[in-house]
Amino acid sequence: MTQTDTMQTTPRTLTPDRIDHFREQGFVHIPGIINAEEVERFRVAALRIYETQEGLSARDVFSQHVNVWRGDETMRELTLHPNVAGVARKLAGVSLRLWHDQILVKRPHNNTPTEFHQDQPYWPHDGSPNPISAWIALCDVPVERGCMSFLPGSHRRTDLERQDLSDARSLFGICPDLQWSPRVTVPLKAGDCTFHHGRCAHMANANETDEPRVAHVVIYMDAAARYDGKGHVVTDPLGLKLGDALAGEMFPELG
């Protein structure tokens, strides 16, 4: 599905109320971050990668293909899309670098949700208080296809250890107060995007439909971020030392 009948959002048209919503709540819905023609081109490219390349698998939750911008020219255009990067920069209010991208595909009838979790505890970052992810829908993502839900304000919980996104009780076992937080579910049309802070807790429903759920995620970190020594699939091959800057061609400054 490629339903994109909303006005396109650009850094120039991004309204102050959306910026305020992101900074207060930790997430925001941005309609039409890419146009209908782009949606179709990027969706075809993402599915080609999904079908022909081995990706990482989070059990039965989703298939994940990381740093596709490094090897696929079409997906590189989306990962480095000036519209996406420009909106991210305005929402975060700081200089950003690319951390990595990832194609996320949920198979039809996968029967497994992605449980509530924060992203940043997984990342080997020191000095990045403003991480932000752009979750771009490359098909229509209604509730039954696996759209995202967020816990507003949970990005202020910067002290939580890594959670298990396949365990429904993991986050709430670590931070019981969050189980009473309101939950905001955000269905997306193809071409829409949610931006969320790396500490904003979120989940995605199972895909109960007959079509794959296809999303592309572009993740940014503070331009001054440094390597904190934790293992990660992106940094493990780079031979980094504790305290090294996360910079250079792998982590270009954007926005």
Side-chain angles (χ1 to χ4, degrees):
M1 293 184 181
T2 55
Q3 182 181 347
T4 51
D5 57 3
T6 54
M7 293 290 291
Q8 188 168 19
T9 303
T10 69
R12 183 178 177 182
T13 64
L14 182 68
T15 59
D17 65 306
R18 291 191 187 275
I19 297 173
D20 291 344
H21 187 282
F22 172 79
R23 296 180 184 178
E24 177 66 23
Q25 303 294 322
F27 70 95
V28 67
H29 173 205
I30 301 294
I33 197 74
I34 57 175
N35 64 39
E37 291 181 1
E38 290 175 316
V39 166
E40 184 60 18
R41 187 157 58 90
F42 295 137
R43 184 185 66 83
V44 169
L47 284 173
R48 184 186 68 246
I49 291 169
Y50 166 67
E51 291 166 356
T52 62
Q53 299 181 21
E54 184 176 358
L56 305 174
S57 178
R59 301 179 189 174
D60 294 324
V61 180
F62 52 70
S63 176
Q64 177 186 26
H65 297 260
V66 174
N67 266 349
V68 294
W69 75 281
R70 301 282 295 174
D72 187 274
E73 285 301 316
T74 302
M75 296 310 297
R76 180 183 179 89
E77 290 181 38
L78 181 52
T79 295
L80 303 182
H81 200 296
N83 201 33
V84 181
V87 170
R89 171 67 176 81
K90 290 191 73 172
L91 291 172
V94 299
S95 296
L96 299 172
R97 292 187 184 276
L98 177 67
W99 164 225
H100 68 77
D101 68 0
Q102 55 189 14
I103 296 169
L104 297 180
V105 177
K106 280 196 172 184
R107 297 184 302 276
H109 304 286
N110 77 318
N111 298 318
T112 307
T114 310
E115 301 294 354
F116 275 111
H117 65 284
Q118 297 173 311
D119 292 330
Q120 193 176 40
Y122 288 88
W123 299 334
H125 296 172
D126 182 36
S128 182
N130 303 287
I132 182 171
S133 295
W135 198 100
I136 305 164
L138 297 182
C139 63
D140 288 342
V141 188
V143 172
E144 60 270 20
R145 187 163 289 133
C147 73
M148 299 233 283
S149 296
F150 301 91
L151 301 185
S154 55
H155 61 302
R156 298 187 185 90
R157 296 306 307 262
T158 61
D159 57 335
L160 304 183
E161 62 191 62
R162 182 183 301 190
Q163 303 112 38
D164 183 350
L165 54 78
S166 66
D167 180 357
R169 297 304 308 164
S170 178
L171 174 64
F172 303 127
I174 294 167
C175 186
D177 288 351
L178 284 179
Q179 67 185 315
W180 307 111
S181 175
R183 305 178 185 194
V184 178
T185 299
V186 186
L188 299 178
K189 294 180 180 180
D192 285 3
C193 177
T194 53
F195 285 87
H196 66 269
H197 187 282
R199 286 280 180 172
C200 183
H202 56 283
M203 64 88 67
N205 300 316
N207 182 3
E208 300 172 359
T209 72
D210 296 331
E211 298 181 23
R213 190 214 66 186
V214 187
H216 187 64
V217 187
V218 187
I219 307 171
Y220 306 93
M221 58 188 170
D222 290 69
R226 294 184 174 274
Y227 179 58
D228 75 357
K230 292 199 297 285
H232 190 278
V233 65
V234 170
T235 48
D236 288 350
L238 302 182
L240 295 173
K241 297 182 178 64
L242 183 67
D244 281 352
L246 294 172
E249 65 174 3
M250 282 289 293
F251 310 109
E253 190 166 353
L254 302 170

